Amino acid sequence: MDFGQINHWRDLASKIGAAFCVIAFLAMIDGLLVHFREPANLVKVLPGAVTAINGELTDEANDLQDLTFVTSSDRLTVTFEAIHKGYFLGGDMWRGRLIVGPDIAPGEYSLAVLPKRTVSPRKAPSFRILVFTDAASLQQSSTSVVRRWFGISAFNVSAGCLPGILLAFGAVYLLSGKRDALLAASGQAEIYQVTRGDGGYEIRFALGTAHGLNPGAGVAICDQAGQQVGTGTVEVSSQTVSVALVTADQEIKVGDLVSRV
């Protein structure tokens, strides 16, 4: 693979990795916004569904046996599974499963979970249960753009982008190594750090004593178009890295090329 091919594939892999990052970010935002667009007490289901349900535990209930529920339909039932701490405020909550009868009519229903015995008027918020006719209508009701268009979780899309991101930027890393090796073999290197001072620039690049470059040696700086934009003198040089002071006719940028003179 020659220098031009390496540049082409590295640029392509970089663009692919960036595209995966953008998709993952947008999907994550879409998934997070669902929690703000829909109230926590709204549950969307199909007839015959069994879905997880979670709610606040009132002061009078300390155990699952203290809980009961009332609904606007005898086709809705709740089985209680555990008591746990809330994710954000740390209050006690119950967790269970909502069982929807297969012959329930589509529409809106209410469900309230409350203690069997209570001496205070405080009640946990009631649930709104929306029963849809079919999976297509349920999908179109979603406030998530990803789920509405593609029928899958936005978080799954975001997680699914991770292998693509790792592969793309792994390819960029490997191709960059090959590119640096080809440049070094021809006595060149890409500038990876530029510090501007009063009299010019201090630059760092991956050429050193192993490539025949020692302190005091002269270097030329060319831009990406191959036009020389400055010259300089190596001040510090290790086996593979050098630092040079450059007097520049134009602005020196990261990505410009250094060559021995």
Side-chain angles (χ1 to χ4, degrees), residues 39-249:
N41 65 333
L42 178 64
V43 182
K44 298 178 179 180
V45 292
L46 293 173
V50 178
T51 187
I53 192 170
N54 195 55
E56 179 185 349
L57 194 66
T58 58
D59 297 335
E60 296 84 0
N62 299 310
D63 197 82
L64 293 179
Q65 285 70 34
D66 298 332
L67 295 174
T68 188
F69 65 91
V70 293
T71 75
S72 58
S73 171
D74 58 3
R75 300 295 188 271
L76 297 172
T77 58
V78 176
T79 58
F80 300 106
E81 296 180 340
I83 290 175
H84 65 98
K85 290 291 183 181
Y87 299 113
F88 298 108
L89 299 179
D92 289 330
M93 303 187 73
W94 57 266
R95 181 172 64 245
R97 302 187 77 77
L98 173 66
I99 302 171
V100 185
D103 54 348
I104 191 172
E108 181 173 338
Y109 300 88
S110 63
L111 180 147
V113 174
L114 60 159
K116 293 177 180 177
R117 298 179 182 179
T118 181
V119 294
S120 72
R122 189 176 82 86
K123 295 182 179 179
S126 297
F127 289 90
R128 290 176 57 211
I129 312 297
L130 298 183
V131 181
F132 290 85
T133 307
D134 51 36
S137 59
L138 174 60
Q139 178 178 325
Q140 289 305 308
S141 75
S142 177
T143 56
S144 165
V145 175
V146 173
R147 185 174 290 279
R148 193 164 60 246
W149 287 1
F150 305 106
I152 56 178
S153 166
F155 293 116
N156 288 344
V157 172
S158 187
C161 289
L162 183 58
I165 293 172
L166 294 176
L167 287 173
F169 287 114
V172 170
Y173 177 80
L174 293 175
L175 290 169
S176 294
K178 289 181 177 294
R179 183 176 187 272
D180 289 343
L182 282 178
L183 284 172
S186 63
Q188 294 179 298
E190 192 173 71
I191 298 172
Y192 63 83
Q193 183 178 336
V194 176
T195 304
R196 186 163 191 169
D198 294 335
Y201 300 86
E202 183 181 86
I203 61 171
R204 283 175 169 79
F205 50 93
L207 282 180
T209 56
H211 309 98
L213 197 65
N214 297 294
V219 293
I221 315 298
C222 294
D223 60 18
Q224 296 293 328
Q227 298 297 316
Q228 184 169 330
V229 294
T231 60
T233 303
V234 176
E235 283 216 325
V236 179
S237 190
S238 68
Q239 187 174 6
T240 56
V241 174
S242 293
V243 179
L245 289 180
V246 177
T247 57
D249 302 322

